Amino acid sequence: MNTTTNIDDDILLSRYQEHVLVITLNRPEARNALRNQSLREITTALHAAASDDTVRAVVIHGSQTVFAAGADIKEMAQLNAISALTDSRPEFWKIISAFHKPLLGAVNGYALGAGCELAMHMDIVIAGENAKFGQPEINLGTIPGAGGTQRLIKAVGKALAMKMVLSGEMINAQTAMAAGLVAEVTSDDTTLERALTLACTIAAKSPLAIRLAKEALLLSFEMPLSAGLNAERKSFSLLAASDDRNEGIAAFLEKRKPLFLGK
Ligand code: DAK
């Protein structure tokens, strides 16, 4: 891993090889609880990464024992109805969900509340074997507020989403994998390594094709099938005009590795 910068207090930024930005959640004293400042730092880093051509994928991870324990409950305690309405958190979440490059989560330990919601904003989650996912807001007399009711049900289906949100019970990595919340389960000490390797694999593809593939896949949550298929066809056609697509086909025919430049 290359140089690590402490951009403030709540996250650390580093580079893995040439094209992977690594965001480390770094509030161990509060189990990486995502206070407003944490989300501001994450979105600032993503904003910079969006326009930095050298960043082709981003990996977010926490510590070996906790990914993120949710919103900061001490900060939440200060919210009233009006300040909750004008809170900047929904804007931060919008920035995360609009990020157009691949986002990978390496989740070890607890991913709870907003931590689980952050994991659900990832395009691919790699979970350590002892990871635990949950939406325990009901224990605080409230409900998920960063998309948990909507994204969880799409990710794991009604039965499990209802159980998790209404009971506050956590699920383990194996259940999360079987339900479709995570892509792979690894041993705890190889979670980050696997996410970084996968990020490098993705970073070696055409950034244009990756961008349009991610966009098309996510559109399926928003659109009816016919409109989604239409959008897919347009993106497929658009890519035929790219140097990367010509390079990919030429490299296959010439039996060599392609070099994708994002053009
Ligand atoms: N917030 C603040 N501090 C937290 C925290 C949290 N979510 N989780 C842990 N901490 C702090 C503890 O208060 C404790 O601090 P000190 O007492 O040492 O000062 C320290 O971290 C260590 O905590 P524990 O002693 O409990 O540590 P353990 O390792 O034993 O347990 C745990 C780890 C993660 C299982 C446990 O800490 C825990 O259950 N934490 C709470 C999990 C939780 O309920 N999460 C849901 C939070 S509600 C919104 C959108 C979304 C949201 C809010 C607003 N808007 C759009 C406005 C989201 C809400 C949530 O996520």
Side-chain angles (χ1 to χ4, degrees), residues 27-36 39 65-66 68-76 79 83-85 87-91 93 110-117 134-140 142-148 170:
R27 284 189 79 203
E29 71 289 354
R31 301 297 185 266
N32 291 340
L34 297 163
R35 56 180 170 180
N36 272 21
L39 291 176
T65 52
V66 64
D72 189 305
I73 297 171
K74 290 165 195 159
E75 204 174 60
M76 262 176 78
L79 283 181
S83 59
L85 196 64
D87 198 78
S88 44
R89 296 179 75 90
E91 292 309 313
W93 288 110
Y110 297 107
L112 302 179
C116 187
E117 287 165 317
Q135 297 289 161
E137 290 88 343
I138 206 76
N139 299 330
L140 303 171
T142 184
I143 66 169
M170 301 177 206

Side-chain angles (χ1 to χ4, degrees), residues 1-5 12-24 49 52-61 102 104 106 189-204:
M1 201 102 65
N2 295 341
T3 32
T4 299
T5 7
L12 304 172
L13 294 180
S14 54
R15 268 305 169 104
Y16 182 72
Q17 298 195 354
E18 220 185 319
H19 295 305
V20 179
L21 174 70
V22 182
I23 298 179
T24 307
D52 180 347
D53 287 344
T54 69
V55 176
R56 291 189 178 187
V58 177
V59 172
I60 301 185
H61 73 117
L104 289 86
D189 55 348
T190 58
T191 315
L192 178 59
E193 189 186 317
R194 174 61 188 138
L196 293 172
T197 303
L198 191 58
C200 286
T201 300
I202 293 167

Side-chain angles (χ1 to χ4, degrees), residues 31-47:
R31 301 297 185 266
N32 291 340
L34 297 163
R35 56 180 170 180
N36 272 21
Q37 181 186 326
S38 321
L39 291 176
R40 181 172 289 109
E41 291 177 23
I42 292 168
T43 52
T44 301
L46 293 182
H47 185 72

